[in-house]
């Protein structure tokens, strides 16, 4: 799989309400027609609250 792109995640999560959780992030990404790679990565995040977009970025890219 190609390396994840932070810009793709920002676009995929446009309009996401914060604080939010993994389920809502996946829902927003699907509504924004994100690619399967982005949706898959989001669906495997820890099931916790994300207070800001920066929290999501850290969760996605901090573990790579």
């Amino acid at each position: 799989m190609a390396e994840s792109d932070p810009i793709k995640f920002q676009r995929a999560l446009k309009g996401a309400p914060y604080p939010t959780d993994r389920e809502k992030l996946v829902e927003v990404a699907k509504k924004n027609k994100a690619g399967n790679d982005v949706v898959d990565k989001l669906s495997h995040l820890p099931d916790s609250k994300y207070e800001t977009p920066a929290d999501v970025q850290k969760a996605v890219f901090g573990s790579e």
Side-chain angles (χ1 to χ4, degrees):
M1 182 192 317
E3 184 178 326
S4 297
D5 177 8
I7 302 299
K8 285 194 326 188
F9 282 87
Q10 290 173 3
R11 288 182 183 142
L13 298 176
K14 183 177 182 177
Y18 290 93
T20 193
D21 59 20
R22 176 182 65 199
E23 185 177 317
K24 188 66 177 175
L25 292 171
V26 170
E27 182 182 315
V28 170
K30 287 179 179 179
K31 284 183 182 177
N32 287 334
K33 297 180 173 41
N36 289 337
D37 58 329
V38 172
V39 173
D40 184 60
K41 189 81 168 181
L42 292 171
S43 69
H44 287 91
L45 289 177
D47 188 19
S48 62
K49 287 286 182 194
Y50 297 94
E51 298 294 327
T52 67
D55 290 343
V56 177
Q57 292 285 95
K58 183 176 179 185
V60 170
F61 298 103
S63 62
E64 286 191 344

